[in-house]
Amino acid sequence: MKKLWAINKNKREFWVTLAIFVVFLGVTLGKTIFGLVLDVTDIQLILSTVGAFIVFIGTVIGNSSMVEAGKDVENKKIDIKYKK
């Protein structure tokens, strides 16, 4: 696990993937356990918040890959296509 961490901690894609995974895991748990009802706007707000948090942590610890990843997460757009 330490070797995996050492290899990936400075990769932007790692942080983006981790952040999105955590958000969607939280949304899934919230919906199944607590019966939360969220729409696309709520999820985009959560992603923006997580992205801003990653940027903050990256800035504090001086990890430029985390800062860039946080900006990527903040700017993620969710496109949902509705069937008619």
Side-chain angles (χ1 to χ4, degrees), residues 30 32 58 73-75:
T32 56
V73 172
E74 280 182 304
N75 295 323

Side-chain angles (χ1 to χ4, degrees), residues 4 13 51 56 65 78:
L4 182 65
E13 295 81 15
F56 173 72
S65 294
I78 300 172

Side-chain angles (χ1 to χ4, degrees), residues 21-64:
F21 171 75
V22 168
V23 167
F24 284 111
L25 180 65
V27 168
T28 302
L29 290 174
K31 290 183 98 168
T32 56
I33 294 173
F34 302 110
L36 294 177
V37 178
L38 301 171
D39 63 6
V40 175
T41 306
D42 297 328
I43 294 172
Q44 286 178 332
L45 179 63
I46 293 168
L47 283 173
S48 293
T49 304
V50 169
F53 182 70
I54 292 172
V55 169
F56 173 72
I57 296 299
T59 302
V60 169
I61 65 173
N63 187 332
S64 62

